[in-house]
Structure formats: structure tokens, C-alpha cells
Amino acid sequence: MPRPHSSTLAPAQSLPVYRCTDFIVVDGANLDDPLSFAAELLFDDTYELSKTVEAVRLTLHAVSEVKFQVAVGSEIGTVGAALHLDSALTFMSPDGHTTDAMVLVEVDDQGDINEIFLLPLSPLASNVSYRLVGINTKTPAQTFAQVACVSFSRGTHITLASGEQRRIEGLKVGDRILTRDDGPQVVKWIGQNTVRAIGDFAPICIKAGTLNNDNDLVVSPEHRLFIYQRSDKLGVGRSELLVKVRYLLNDDTVFIQAGGYVDYFQLLFDSHQIIYAEGIAAESMLIDTRTKPVLPAHISKDMGEVIPGHSNRPHAGLDVQERLLDRPDAAAILRRASSH
């Protein structure tokens, strides 16, 4: 039986984008035109990024699987305006490498276009020619959702209900995993994908010992860790915290592990859980309006819109703002706070 529907929305997320006017056709049928939406694009047109432009952060809420809204704090766009996920594009550079990107279109209340944004899924460089070789308007939501999924890398040891430490690639649906809030819980689905370890897909490594972990922990940048402070070293006024890994970067004990490819795994339970990876309390996959498109059709149908209570958990709302962690010793502070 399908589960009841829910209106749980994804939390706001900031993504690096370019305006369409930053990405211009330098060779092809649409010569000198800026990037547009899929219906106006032509294969083999070659684009270049403006020489002095830098990506800016577009902050958005996912209203549905393909509709979004510009959120408060965005560096670009009109707060409250609707954003539509138009397409997923693939470009090829002269060296044969491909670059995937998403096209987001901002519209006003009348449905007229305000702006068009390009979200590259790997870094773009100026003075490089990018030939358009792929236009996908059928399944861009799946690609876009993958950016938001929290993932563990191959080799990560997950704590089972028995106490066994098993590599994530050795887990299977039905295995019982130890969770912080609900004891042993059964794995409902395991996702796996391989991506180039660059841009927003480049994983972050937490070196062994940084957070009292025995081995390195390598996860996706948006992954959140659960920290219990025995003493409030950060001054947030509570002992339980959820901290995004990317807020802990210090280029020493917590660093971006870019280059090559990374095998990512997602673990789904009947509700959003805090599990143990390399001994660190870390979140499992959260289903909401942004991430749901990555699920297989039969799992998605079984859930309805989202799993009831998937976001309404004891650990919900414990996120620590980036400004409180904007210091090179943030990881060390959290280690001390959780140890004493």
C-alpha cells in the first residue's frame, strides 16, 4: 500500500551558478547568443565562459521534484521567484572530457522568464571551448537530485546492529544497522553511483583521529554529522548538533579529496536516521522534494511524496550555521567538546 502523502520540503541549498549571459556561443548556428533553455539550444554549438566571471551562489528551496523557489540569502535571483529545472546538458571540451550541467529558469508571476542560470556539475574554465553534445529534458530531476544526496564512499565501515563493522559496498537490503535514535533498523534501499570527484561532487575526507574516528571517513560535501557536546565549546546553547562536513574544511585534517572518480553509496531507511560510519555519527539519506527523484520507481511509489516522519525526527532542526564554524580549528573544538 502506498504511504500517506506529506508536504515535507527540502532545506534551502546554495549552489554555484552562472548567468546565461556568462556562457556565450563562440562557434555554431547561434553565434554570439547566450545560453538559453533547451527548446532553443542546438547540438554542436560551442560555448565559452566569460574570462573574468566567477560563479555566484544561488540559494533555493525545492517545492517539488522539478520546481524550486529562490530562497532568502541567495546572491542571485529574486527571492521568492519560481525556478524551473529545464534540462541537463552535456558539453565536450577539446581534450575529450565531458562536463555535465543543469539549466534553471527563473520566472515571474506571469510565467515570463526573468533569468536563466547554468549550474555546472564540474568546474568550468575560461578560454576553453565547450561543445554541446547532449540535451536531456526527460530525466534532469534525477541528475539534479544526486547533487543533494548525502553519500558515503566505497570502503566506509558501517556499524551493524550486531556491532560488526562492515564496508558499505558489502551491505544489502534487509541488513540491520545500528541507529542512534531507534536502535536496529533495516536497510530499505541502497543507492550507488560513480562520478568524477570534482566540483560539488568531490568528496571530503575527515582524517583518522580528527573526530575520534579510527579510520579516514570520506563522504559527500553536504553530509551532516551528529555531534554531542559534553561541554558547549561552540556557544550554540545546546549539546546536540548537526554539522555539515564542508563547514569543517581546514585543508589539513578535513580536506577536499578531488581528482579521479568516486564511488558513492546512499543508505535509505523507513525514516531519516543517524548511523555510525567509521565510528562517527552521521546521517543516512533524507527523502524530501529535492532528493526523491533518485529513487527507483517502485520505492518512490511505496513512499508517496515522502516517507511520513522522514524529516520529523528527534535530530531535526539541530543544524549549526556556517558562521559559527568559520574557523580553522572547528573540527578540533568539536572533538574536544565531545570528549570531555
Side-chain angles (χ1 to χ4, degrees):
M1 292 290 292
R3 297 175 181 270
H5 284 201
S6 169
S7 58
T8 301
L9 299 181
Q13 186 173 19
S14 293
L15 301 166
V17 301
Y18 296 96
R19 289 185 170 90
C20 64
T21 51
D22 296 332
F23 204 55
I24 306 295
V25 178
V26 295
D27 186 35
N30 289 325
L31 184 64
D32 294 330
D33 286 351
L35 181 78
S36 188
F37 48 88
E40 295 188 350
L41 301 178
L42 293 174
F43 287 113
D44 293 325
D45 274 358
T46 299
Y47 292 78
E48 284 190 8
L49 189 66
S50 300
K51 292 181 175 59
T52 59
V53 72
E54 294 184 357
V56 292
R57 306 300 294 189
L58 173 66
T59 305
L60 54 80
H61 281 294
V63 179
S64 73
E65 296 175 14
V66 294
K67 293 183 179 180
F68 307 86
Q69 188 177 63
V70 181
V72 173
S74 184
E75 295 179 355
I76 195 171
T78 303
V79 173
L83 287 164
H84 294 272
L85 181 57
D86 175 74
S87 55
L89 307 180
T90 301
F91 298 93
M92 182 173 288
S93 54
D95 60 6
H97 284 126
T98 57
T99 298
D100 294 318
M102 314 299 299
V103 175
L104 290 158
V105 179
E106 180 188 315
V107 298
D108 60 22
D109 293 340
Q110 288 71 47
D112 296 325
I113 294 176
N114 280 341
E115 287 196 80
I116 299 173
F117 305 115
L118 180 71
L119 167 65
L121 301 186
S122 56
L124 294 176
S126 58
N127 298 318
V128 174
S129 298
Y130 296 95
R131 181 167 61 91
L132 182 61
V133 296
I135 304 173
N136 176 6
T137 58
K138 293 183 178 180
T139 60
Q142 284 87 332
T143 303
F144 193 49
Q146 193 64 59
V147 179
C149 286
V150 295
S151 306
F152 299 96
S153 66
R154 179 179 293 276
T156 301
H157 291 91
I158 303 297
T159 303
L160 275 64
S162 65
E164 175 190 348
Q165 302 292 307
R166 185 178 299 173
R167 293 181 185 273
I168 195 166
E169 62 270 24
L171 296 177
K172 59 184 182 298
V173 171
D175 281 342
R176 291 164 61 82
I177 306 299
L178 180 64
T179 72
R180 180 184 183 274
D181 298 311
D182 295 322
Q185 291 294 305
V186 172
V187 176
K188 185 181 184 71
W189 176 76
I190 301 174
Q192 180 181 355
N193 63 309
T194 301
V195 298
R196 294 177 66 192
I198 52 179
D200 279 1
F201 283 113
I204 291 177
C205 177
I206 304 172
K207 291 181 65 174
T210 302
L211 291 174
N212 302 311
N213 46 312
D214 290 334
N215 303 306
D216 291 355
L217 175 64
V218 182
V219 294
S220 55
E222 291 294 311
H223 219 124
R224 293 180 299 177
L225 308 178
F226 179 90
I227 305 291
Y228 180 83
Q229 296 190 107
R230 297 180 184 276
S231 56
D232 188 9
K233 299 291 187 181
L234 285 181
V236 295
R238 62 177 185 268
S239 58
E240 298 183 342
L241 313 173
L242 280 175
V243 178
K244 284 188 179 180
V245 174
R246 65 181 177 87
Y247 294 169
L248 301 179
L249 287 170
N250 57 22
D251 295 326
D252 180 20
T253 59
V254 184
F255 57 92
I256 297 172
Q257 195 166 285
Y261 290 83
V262 58
D263 293 329
Y264 275 142
F265 295 80
Q266 301 88 39
L267 294 181
L268 178 69
F269 300 88
D270 272 336
S271 58
H272 185 233
Q273 297 289 349
I274 301 299
I275 62 175
Y276 298 92
E278 302 298 356
I280 296 178
E283 68 175 327
S284 67
M285 184 177 178
L286 172 65
I287 297 301
D288 55 29
T289 48
R290 176 73 194 280
T291 57
K292 189 168 179 286
V294 304
L295 299 178
H298 69 284
I299 297 289
S300 182
K301 182 179 179 181
D302 180 53
M303 290 180 175
E305 288 184 10
V306 295
I307 297 176
H310 216 255
S311 303
N312 188 21
R313 306 293 298 145
H315 51 263
L318 299 178
D319 295 79
V320 178
Q321 298 301 309
E322 183 175 10
R323 60 181 177 78
L324 292 176
L325 295 162
D326 188 17
R327 47 191 300 171
D329 60 345
I333 289 174
L334 290 176
R335 183 183 70 247
R336 292 195 298 270
S338 61
S339 300
H340 302 290

